[in-house]
């Protein structure tokens, strides 16, 4: 076994815990095929990486879309493992890793490559885009954060280019906190996972009012996150636009559509003021005849794993533990699925049928 010092005079601590040769994974054997539980090898961490024993992994809409549609070539090779949210324990350190020790509890965003995905019992992550889980939240709560917050962060703060964002000053940069005080923002889908994190980021960036569309049973909940006004998401387009106008007469320069269905995109684009930016989480479906050169549309890619968002991701993960520990960023409410990885396919079906409201489904891979 490989050993490392913690500090001079301290006891030796193991650099690596015993690691099985084999794990269980949820495998999509063929494009648009069925999920099965299969034995699979355990990868070794390379330089700068750690191996994580996943205690909790969260489900996201992209996971059912990949299964149902072979989605947008997100997954290039089959058999494929999906899942991109993990919270767990560091069990081995790759060369050069000093940020974490074996036994640390960490959370991170996975990626659509079998080595980095999270519907499995062990996964690999670069230490620079992972963070320690603070004591005030559980593994389950931590697993709800990575993809959702990444999408809020890239949408608001990444450069205004394809896959980027509205190019606001990140809240952790000098002058970033509260910078947009007095400026309105409209967030479509405030009770969705992405919507919940985007409301909280908008609050920390100073936006006010923060107007969001939800089902009325989520009104009080999204106000605990920072929404100042809610609008019933089932109202017609013209009613939603009229409700926004009743709340503010200021030009709305930032509109974030966390839902990004064709129907929400059209209203969101109309609400966006001239000179403003509409952030989408799915590709634009705004009809050509409605487009004007005076409003920007950006479809954000909510991943800190891709090279274009890596630097932003490193900054996010340098600040994330503290943001959560302080209670400034709250995790999504959680529902735990039964049967470990085997419970995931049913959970994805429920998401596909639009049966999940205001919470994140989480599975425990070690209970498979
Ligand atoms: N581009 C990217 O990188 C990226 C990253 C993450 C997610 N996404 C996409 O973003 C979307 C949201 O993902 P998510 O994980 O946040 O979803 P989610 O949490 O599973 O979404 C469920 C929520 O959607 C809300 N909702 C559904 N239709 C709505 C509508 N017409 N108006 C307002 N709210 C509506 C529901 O609100 P109520 O219960 O209050 O009605 C429910 O709380 C998905 O399409 C996902 O694929 C993209």
């Amino acid at each position: 076994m490989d050993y490392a010092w913690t500090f001079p005079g301290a006891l030796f601590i193991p650099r690596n815990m015993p690691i099985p040769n084999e794990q269980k994974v949820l495998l999509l054997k063929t494009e648009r095929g069925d999920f099965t539980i299969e034995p699979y090898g355990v990868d070794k961490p390379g330089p700068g990486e750690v191996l994580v024993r996943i205690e909790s992994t969260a489900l996201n809409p992209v996971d059912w879309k990949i299964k149902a549609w072979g989605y947008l070539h997100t997954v290039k090779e089959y058999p494929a493992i999906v899942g991109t949210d993990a919270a767990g324990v560091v069990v081995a350190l790759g060369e050069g890793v000093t940020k974490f020790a074996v036994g640390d509890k960490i959370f991170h965003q996975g990626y659509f490559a079998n080595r980095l995905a999270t519907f499995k019992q062990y996964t690999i992550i670069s230490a620079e885009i992972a963070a320690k889980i603070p004591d005030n939240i559980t593994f389950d709560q931590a697993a709800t954060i990575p993809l959702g917050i990444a999408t809020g962060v890239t949408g608001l703060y990444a450069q205004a280019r394809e896959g980027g964002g509205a190019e606001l000053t990140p809240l952790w940069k000098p002058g970033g906190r509260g910078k947009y005080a007095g400026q309105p923002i409209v967030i479509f889908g405030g009770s969705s996972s992405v919507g919940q994190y985007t409301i909280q980021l908008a609050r920390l960036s100073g936006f006010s009012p923060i107007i969001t569309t939800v089902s009325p049973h989520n009104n009080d909940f999204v106000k605990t996150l920072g929404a100042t006004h809610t609008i019933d998401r089932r109202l017609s387009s013209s009613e939603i636009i009229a409700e926004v106008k009743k709340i503010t007469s200021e030009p709305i320069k930032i509109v974030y559509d966390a839902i990004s269905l064709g129907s929400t995109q059209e209203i969101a684009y109309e609400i966006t003021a001239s000179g403003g930016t509409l952030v989408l989480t799915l590709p634009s479906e705004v009809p050509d005849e409605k487009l004007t050169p005076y409003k920007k549309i950006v479809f954000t890619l909510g991943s800190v794993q891709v090279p274009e968002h890596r630097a932003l991701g490193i900054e996010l993960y340098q600040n994330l533990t503290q943001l959560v520990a302080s209670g400034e960023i709250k995790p999504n409410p959680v529902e735990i699925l039964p049967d470990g990885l085997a419970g995931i396919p049913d959970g994805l079906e429920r998401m596909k049928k639009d049966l999940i409201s205001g919470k994140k489904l989480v599975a425990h891979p070690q209970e498979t």
Side-chain angles (χ1 to χ4, degrees):
M1 190 183 286
D2 191 12
Y3 287 90
W5 288 103
T6 41
F7 52 87
L11 291 174
F12 276 120
I13 57 156
R15 246 186 105 75
N16 298 313
M17 284 177 173
I19 298 156
N21 292 325
E22 219 171 59
Q23 61 174 324
K24 288 178 190 154
V25 305
L26 186 69
L27 205 61
L28 204 47
K29 279 195 164 163
T30 55
E31 190 170 344
R32 283 170 279 173
D34 287 326
F35 283 114
T36 52
I37 305 285
E38 303 283 340
Y40 205 82
V42 176
D43 289 299
K44 288 196 169 55
E49 296 177 333
V50 299
L51 177 68
V52 182
R53 187 182 70 226
I54 303 178
E55 304 297 335
S56 305
T57 181
L59 283 62
N60 288 289
V62 68
D63 303 316
W64 72 252
K65 291 176 187 177
I66 290 167
K67 187 207 172 313
W69 303 339
Y71 194 48
L72 290 176
H73 312 294
T74 314
V75 170
K76 295 185 177 63
E77 279 183 87
Y78 291 85
I81 307 169
V82 297
T84 51
D85 271 322
V89 177
V90 174
V91 291
L93 304 173
E95 193 189 318
V97 174
T98 53
K99 180 175 173 182
F100 299 122
V102 165
D104 280 351
K105 299 173 175 182
I106 67 167
F107 60 133
H108 77 268
Q109 181 177 18
Y111 193 65
F112 296 106
N114 290 358
R115 191 168 178 269
L116 305 175
T118 66
F119 288 170
K120 54 203 282 224
Q121 294 179 314
Y122 290 86
T123 195
I124 298 284
I125 181 65
S126 283
E128 63 184 8
I129 46 170
K132 285 188 190 164
I133 301 174
D135 291 339
N136 61 328
I137 62 165
T138 62
F139 284 121
D140 296 328
Q141 291 174 309
T144 73
I145 297 174
L147 176 59
I149 203 162
T151 312
V153 162
T154 60
L156 294 177
Y157 306 131
Q159 286 178 347
R161 61 179 181 204
E162 189 53 35
E167 212 167 322
L168 304 175
T169 303
L171 66 95
W172 52 79
K173 291 270 198 205
R177 280 274 174 142
K179 175 167 181 182
Y180 301 95
Q183 295 190 37
I185 186 170
V186 177
I187 298 166
F188 282 76
S191 67
S192 67
S193 177
V194 172
Q196 290 180 40
Y197 291 113
T198 305
I199 288 173
Q200 299 182 80
L201 295 167
R203 187 193 80 236
L204 294 167
S205 287
F207 283 95
S208 178
I210 298 174
I211 303 164
T212 192
T213 60
V214 286
S215 291
H217 69 264
N218 282 318
N219 284 351
D220 291 344
F221 167 56
V222 294
K223 285 184 177 164
T224 67
L225 302 175
T228 58
H229 299 77
T230 55
I231 298 175
D232 186 342
R233 61 113 145 164
R234 293 184 176 90
L235 294 180
S236 67
S237 313
S238 57
E239 287 170 325
I240 290 175
I241 292 164
E243 287 298 313
V244 172
K245 283 188 179 147
K246 274 191 228 163
I247 296 163
T248 180
S249 54
E250 291 290 312
I252 300 171
K253 293 284 179 66
I254 304 291
V255 178
Y256 190 113
D257 186 355
I259 303 304
S260 292
L261 298 171
S263 54
T264 59
Q265 290 188 14
E266 274 200 51
I267 318 171
Y269 190 67
E270 192 159 340
I271 287 170
T272 307
S274 186
T277 301
L278 167 61
V279 179
L280 299 177
T281 58
L282 296 176
S284 175
E285 293 179 39
V286 179
D288 285 350
E289 63 275 16
K290 300 222 164 162
L291 293 174
T292 118
Y294 307 108
K295 301 182 188 183
K296 225 179 267 172
I297 295 184
V298 53
F299 161 47
T300 198
L301 178 57
S303 174
V304 297
Q305 292 261 11
V306 296
E308 56 268 41
H309 292 325
R310 188 75 169 204
L312 191 61
I314 293 169
E315 289 177 15
L316 168 64
Y317 277 86
Q318 283 165 348
N319 287 279
L320 195 50
T321 305
Q322 181 52 31
L323 285 167
V324 177
S326 63
E328 290 173 305
I329 293 288
K330 291 190 172 55
N332 298 154
V334 165
E335 178 189 323
I336 308 297
L337 298 172
D339 306 325
L341 295 169
I344 291 177
D346 276 356
L348 294 178
E349 273 303 304
R350 285 166 60 204
M351 296 183 89
K352 187 177 171 197
K353 290 179 182 150
D354 208 4
L355 297 175
I356 307 302
S357 174
K359 67 182 172 188
K360 198 101 174 162
L361 302 181
V362 170
H364 293 166
Q366 305 303 324
E367 292 171 10
T368 310

Coordinates of all heavy atoms in Angstrom, one line a residue, residues 111-142:
Y111 N -19.4 13.0 -15.9 CA -19.4 13.4 -17.4 C -19.8 12.1 -18.1 O -19.8 11.0 -17.6 CB -18.0 13.8 -17.8 CG -18.0 14.4 -19.2 CD1 -18.7 15.6 -19.4 CD2 -17.3 13.8 -20.2 CE1 -18.7 16.2 -20.7 CE2 -17.3 14.4 -21.5 CZ -18.0 15.6 -21.7 OH -18.0 16.2 -23.0
F112 N -20.3 12.3 -19.4 CA -20.8 11.2 -20.2 C -19.6 10.4 -20.8 O -19.5 10.4 -22.1 CB -21.8 11.7 -21.2 CG -23.0 12.2 -20.5 CD1 -23.2 13.6 -20.5 CD2 -23.9 11.4 -19.8 CE1 -24.3 14.1 -19.8 CE2 -25.0 11.9 -19.1 CZ -25.2 13.3 -19.1
A113 N -18.9 9.8 -20.0 CA -17.8 8.8 -20.4 C -17.8 7.8 -19.3 O -17.9 8.2 -18.2 CB -16.5 9.6 -20.5
N114 N -17.7 6.5 -19.7 CA -17.9 5.5 -18.6 C -17.0 5.7 -17.4 O -17.3 5.4 -16.3 CB -17.6 4.1 -19.2 CG -18.8 3.8 -20.2 OD1 -19.7 4.6 -20.4 ND2 -18.7 2.6 -20.8
R115 N -15.8 6.2 -17.6 CA -14.8 6.4 -16.5 C -15.3 7.4 -15.6 O -15.0 7.4 -14.4 CB -13.5 6.8 -17.2 CG -12.3 6.7 -16.2 CD -11.0 6.9 -17.1 NE -9.9 6.9 -16.1 CZ -9.4 8.0 -15.7 NH1 -9.8 9.2 -16.0 NH2 -8.4 7.9 -14.8
L116 N -16.0 8.4 -16.1 CA -16.4 9.6 -15.3 C -17.9 9.7 -14.9 O -18.3 10.6 -14.2 CB -16.0 10.9 -16.1 CG -14.6 11.0 -16.6 CD1 -14.4 12.2 -17.5 CD2 -13.6 11.0 -15.4
A117 N -18.7 8.8 -15.4 CA -20.1 8.8 -15.1 C -20.4 8.4 -13.7 O -19.5 7.9 -13.0 CB -20.9 7.9 -16.1
T118 N -21.7 8.5 -13.2 CA -21.9 8.3 -11.8 C -23.0 7.3 -11.5 O -23.3 7.1 -10.3 CB -22.3 9.7 -11.1 OG1 -23.5 10.1 -11.7 CG2 -21.2 10.7 -11.3
F119 N -23.6 6.6 -12.4 CA -24.5 5.5 -12.1 C -23.7 4.3 -11.9 O -23.8 3.3 -12.7 CB -25.6 5.4 -13.2 CG -26.7 6.5 -13.2 CD1 -27.6 6.6 -14.2 CD2 -26.7 7.4 -12.2 CE1 -28.5 7.6 -14.2 CE2 -27.6 8.5 -12.2 CZ -28.6 8.6 -13.2
K120 N -22.9 4.3 -10.9 CA -21.9 3.2 -10.7 C -21.5 3.3 -9.2 O -21.9 4.3 -8.5 CB -20.8 3.2 -11.7 CG -20.1 4.6 -11.7 CD -19.3 4.8 -13.0 CE -18.0 4.1 -13.1 NZ -16.9 5.0 -13.7
Q121 N -20.7 2.4 -8.8 CA -20.3 2.5 -7.3 C -19.0 3.2 -7.1 O -18.7 3.7 -6.0 CB -20.2 1.0 -6.8 CG -21.6 0.3 -6.8 CD -21.5 -1.1 -6.3 OE1 -20.7 -1.9 -6.7 NE2 -22.5 -1.4 -5.4
Y122 N -18.1 3.3 -8.1 CA -16.9 4.0 -8.0 C -16.7 4.9 -9.2 O -17.0 4.4 -10.4 CB -15.7 3.0 -7.9 CG -15.6 2.3 -6.6 CD1 -16.4 1.1 -6.4 CD2 -14.9 2.7 -5.5 CE1 -16.4 0.4 -5.2 CE2 -14.9 2.0 -4.3 CZ -15.6 0.9 -4.2 OH -15.6 0.2 -3.0
T123 N -16.2 6.1 -9.1 CA -15.9 6.9 -10.2 C -14.6 7.7 -10.0 O -14.1 7.8 -9.0 CB -17.1 7.8 -10.6 OG1 -17.0 8.3 -11.9 CG2 -17.3 9.0 -9.6
I124 N -14.3 8.4 -11.1 CA -13.0 9.2 -11.2 C -13.4 10.6 -11.3 O -14.3 11.0 -12.1 CB -12.1 8.7 -12.3 CG1 -11.7 7.3 -12.2 CG2 -10.9 9.7 -12.5 CD1 -10.6 7.0 -11.2
I125 N -12.7 11.5 -10.6 CA -12.9 13.0 -10.9 C -11.5 13.7 -10.7 O -10.7 13.3 -9.8 CB -14.0 13.6 -9.9 CG1 -14.2 15.0 -10.2 CG2 -13.6 13.3 -8.4 CD1 -14.8 15.4 -11.5
S126 N -11.3 14.7 -11.5 CA -10.2 15.6 -11.2 C -10.4 16.4 -10.0 O -11.5 17.0 -9.8 CB -10.1 16.6 -12.4 OG -9.5 16.0 -13.5
A127 N -9.4 16.4 -9.1 CA -9.6 17.0 -7.8 C -10.0 18.5 -7.9 O -10.7 19.0 -7.1 CB -8.3 16.9 -7.0
E128 N -9.5 19.2 -9.0 CA -9.7 20.6 -9.1 C -11.2 21.0 -9.3 O -11.6 22.1 -9.1 CB -8.8 21.2 -10.2 CG -9.1 20.7 -11.6 CD -8.2 21.2 -12.6 OE1 -7.2 21.9 -12.3 OE2 -8.4 21.0 -13.8
I129 N -12.0 20.0 -9.7 CA -13.4 20.3 -9.9 C -14.3 19.4 -9.0 O -15.3 18.9 -9.4 CB -13.9 20.2 -11.4 CG1 -13.3 19.0 -12.1 CG2 -13.5 21.5 -12.2 CD1 -13.9 18.7 -13.5
A130 N -13.8 19.2 -7.8 CA -14.6 18.6 -6.7 C -14.4 19.4 -5.5 O -13.5 20.2 -5.4 CB -14.0 17.2 -6.5
A131 N -15.3 19.2 -4.5 CA -15.2 20.0 -3.3 C -15.6 19.1 -2.1 O -16.4 18.2 -2.3 CB -16.1 21.2 -3.4
K132 N -15.1 19.5 -0.9 CA -15.5 18.8 0.3 C -17.0 19.1 0.6 O -17.4 20.2 0.4 CB -14.6 19.2 1.5 CG -13.2 18.6 1.4 CD -12.4 18.8 2.6 CE -11.0 18.4 2.4 NZ -10.1 18.9 3.3
I133 N -17.6 18.1 1.1 CA -19.0 18.3 1.6 C -19.0 18.9 3.0 O -18.4 18.3 3.9 CB -19.8 16.9 1.6 CG1 -19.8 16.2 0.2 CG2 -21.2 17.1 2.1 CD1 -20.3 14.8 0.2
P134 N -19.6 20.0 3.1 CA -19.6 20.6 4.5 C -20.5 19.7 5.4 O -21.4 19.0 5.0 CB -20.2 22.0 4.3 CG -21.0 21.9 3.1 CD -20.3 20.9 2.2
D135 N -20.3 19.9 6.7 CA -21.0 19.1 7.7 C -22.5 19.3 7.8 O -23.2 18.5 8.4 CB -20.4 19.3 9.1 CG -19.0 18.8 9.3 OD1 -18.6 17.9 8.4 OD2 -18.2 19.3 10.1
N136 N -23.0 20.4 7.3 CA -24.4 20.7 7.4 C -25.3 20.1 6.4 O -26.5 20.2 6.4 CB -24.6 22.3 7.4 CG -24.2 22.9 6.1 OD1 -23.2 22.5 5.5 ND2 -24.9 24.0 5.7
I137 N -24.7 19.3 5.5 CA -25.5 18.6 4.5 C -25.1 17.1 4.4 O -24.0 16.8 4.7 CB -25.6 19.2 3.1 CG1 -24.2 19.2 2.4 CG2 -26.2 20.6 3.1 CD1 -24.3 19.5 0.9
T138 N -26.0 16.3 3.9 CA -25.8 14.8 3.8 C -25.2 14.5 2.4 O -25.2 15.4 1.5 CB -27.1 14.1 3.9 OG1 -28.0 14.5 2.9 CG2 -27.8 14.3 5.3
F139 N -24.8 13.3 2.2 CA -24.4 12.8 0.9 C -25.5 13.0 -0.1 O -25.3 13.5 -1.2 CB -24.0 11.4 0.9 CG -22.7 11.0 1.5 CD1 -22.6 10.2 2.6 CD2 -21.5 11.5 0.9 CE1 -21.4 9.8 3.1 CE2 -20.3 11.2 1.5 CZ -20.2 10.3 2.6
D140 N -26.7 12.7 0.3 CA -27.9 12.8 -0.6 C -28.1 14.2 -1.0 O -28.3 14.5 -2.2 CB -29.2 12.3 0.1 CG -29.1 10.8 0.5 OD1 -28.4 10.1 -0.3 OD2 -29.7 10.4 1.5
Q141 N -28.1 15.2 -0.1 CA -28.3 16.6 -0.4 C -27.1 17.0 -1.3 O -27.4 17.8 -2.3 CB -28.3 17.4 0.8 CG -29.6 17.1 1.6 CD -29.6 17.9 3.0 OE1 -28.6 17.8 3.7 NE2 -30.6 18.6 3.2
A142 N -25.9 16.6 -1.0 CA -24.7 17.1 -1.8 C -24.9 16.6 -3.3 O -24.5 17.4 -4.2 CB -23.4 16.5 -1.2

